[in-house]
Amino acid sequence: MPESILNLLKSSDSFVSGQDISSILGVTRAAVWKKILGLRKKGFVIEAVPSKGYRLISSPDLAADYLLPLVKGALWKELIVHDSVESTNDLAMSLAAKKGITAGTVLVADRQTRGKGRLGRRWESPGGTNIYMSLVIRPELAPRDVTMLTVLAAVAGARTIQETGNIPVTIKWPNDLVISDKKLGGILTEVRADPDRINLAVIGIGINVNMLSADFPEELRGIATSVRLEAGHAVSRNEIILQLLKEFEHWYGILIAKGRKPLLAAWRKDSSTLGKTVRIAIGDQTVSGVAEDIDENGMLVITMQTGERRHISAGDITFVR
Ligand code: BTN
């Protein structure tokens, strides 16, 4: 029920009477009051005036009660916000292994104690400021299409931050969200798959939202940034999550209905990698050349100095100036 009360309060700029809430939801006024108290405990600021009713003043910056009713639908079924977990990706995978997890679940954490980045790196995950989320889906895709899920999340993430922060975020292949070559977010996709089918995909997304320079460890200050630092003001994590889930659902629908082409075109439009001279470290090998394109499998197409073209599936990329 708190979801429904919240929806009623959110849809009105002024007071909604206790009488109206109780008759619309078919519950007693005492039950309405109890739920209002519950919402206040979760950080919602709700004004109560005896002759007028209730008015929503503000919502907590990160709240499942706020988000779930707005995203629940064809793709998203559950949204759970944890205060602290080791890693939202690991939690999703272990829930899947132990008791199963509903496809369409979104796990969000305020903080991670063992946040994981790509290539076994650590993902800086302090509390109260950023987004750490894992999207759990059971896609109608073959294992070779898994890169497309990372491409999809990168496009959804870039579009979301461009709109909510009004800042020119781009995608640095394969999975970085960057602005002026400073990293603002990253994606880590993990799957459980049979040879011909992805059983479960966990798409982990980390976005630095409201971190200030001093909040970053010193070694990251020159190479990482946040939405707040770039936009010049704090941004609501709820709004970014909401928008990101909508964008993801939109592009997922397009991928399933129309194939990869529209998604790859969107990726190209937001890419800061294409046309650049790059150096890519792949294990202990390095490949240099001009990044020409992204192919149908999400691989980066490089033309090397010799004129040879290579399709690269993963690696650490540096722009050569
Ligand atoms: C990268 O750019 O290296 C990928 C970073 C992915 C970080 C996110 S935060 C939520 C999810 N849980 C994790 O442990 N990692 C991903």
Side-chain angles (χ1 to χ4, degrees):
M1 185 169 73
E3 298 160 16
S4 317
I5 290 187
L6 263 187
N7 278 350
L8 289 177
L9 295 180
K10 264 188 277 169
S11 58
S12 167
D13 289 337
S14 61
F15 287 90
V16 185
S17 75
Q19 183 57 56
D20 283 353
I21 298 175
S22 74
S23 60
I24 291 168
L25 301 179
V27 296
T28 63
R29 291 184 66 171
V32 171
W33 176 237
K34 207 169 145 203
K35 292 295 174 187
I36 294 279
L37 291 179
L39 287 169
R40 281 181 173 167
K41 263 201 192 125
K42 290 180 181 171
F44 291 90
V45 179
I46 299 169
E47 189 180 5
V49 175
S51 55
K52 294 182 176 168
Y54 303 102
R55 184 160 69 121
L56 180 64
I57 305 291
S58 67
S59 304
D61 167 51
L62 184 62
D65 287 318
Y66 176 87
L67 291 164
L68 185 60
L70 300 174
V71 299
K72 208 168 179 172
L75 186 60
W76 306 121
K77 307 290 177 201
E78 290 285 346
L79 188 144
I80 303 157
V81 177
H82 292 274
D83 285 341
S84 178
V85 299
E86 288 193 350
S87 148
T88 54
N89 269 30
D90 286 353
L91 178 63
M93 279 298 181
S94 78
L95 286 174
K98 281 187 207 142
K99 53 174 192 167
I101 188 166
T102 311
T105 297
V106 180
L107 295 180
V108 183
D110 180 54
R111 148 176 192 268
Q112 296 184 121
T113 53
R114 285 180 54 184
K116 299 190 301 186
R118 251 180 3 115
L119 307 169
R121 293 184 185 132
R122 207 178 111 82
W123 186 257
E124 208 49 49
S125 309
T129 181
N130 294 332
I131 291 173
Y132 318 109
M133 66 196 285
S134 294
L135 318 182
V136 181
I137 57 173
R138 204 156 276 136
E140 304 279 314
L141 297 171
R144 66 185 153 77
D145 293 325
V146 69
T147 319
M148 276 301 118
L149 295 175
T150 302
V151 168
L152 200 164
V155 168
R159 299 275 156 110
T160 296
I161 301 167
Q162 288 161 5
E163 281 160 31
T164 50
N166 200 16
I167 48 175
V169 178
T170 57
I171 305 167
K172 183 174 176 185
W173 181 89
N175 67 336
D176 289 356
L177 300 176
V178 298
I179 190 157
S180 316
D181 210 19
K182 282 187 166 182
K183 188 153 169 168
L184 186 115
I187 293 143
L188 178 66
T189 303
E190 300 181 88
V191 293
R192 288 156 66 102
D194 288 335
D196 59 342
R197 205 189 138 76
I198 298 175
N199 291 319
L200 190 83
V202 173
I203 302 148
I205 305 173
I207 301 175
N208 301 333
V209 179
N210 287 319
M211 265 172 119
L212 295 170
S213 284
D215 303 329
F216 285 100
E218 212 173 311
E219 68 277 13
L220 293 184
R221 262 173 227 164
I223 53 170
T225 187
S226 71
V227 180
R228 178 175 185 172
L229 284 171
E230 299 299 326
H233 54 82
V235 181
S236 147
R237 288 183 287 174
N238 281 338
E239 293 314 318
I240 294 186
I241 293 172
L242 190 59
Q243 186 68 21
L244 203 154
L245 293 174
K246 285 186 182 163
E247 286 280 349
F248 190 99
E249 183 159 7
H250 168 77
W251 287 104
Y252 184 67
I254 291 179
L255 176 67
I256 299 300
K258 300 191 176 155
R260 307 164 184 205
K261 281 208 168 108
L263 187 56
L264 289 168
W267 188 94
R268 285 185 190 102
K269 197 159 166 270
D270 283 347
S271 162
S272 57
T273 306
L274 299 185
K276 296 250 171 73
T277 302
V278 298
R279 194 181 307 121
I280 304 179
I282 312 159
D284 47 16
Q285 215 200 350
T286 302
V287 177
S288 299
V290 177
E292 302 281 2
D293 200 3
I294 183 174
D295 73 11
E296 291 284 287
N297 299 313
M299 294 197 189
L300 192 68
V301 184
I302 301 285
T303 303
M304 304 202 300
Q305 260 185 346
T306 55
E308 187 197 337
R309 288 186 124 199
R310 281 189 64 172
H311 293 237
I312 314 232
S313 65
D316 240 351
I317 189 164
T318 322
F319 295 150
V320 181
R321 283 165 215 282

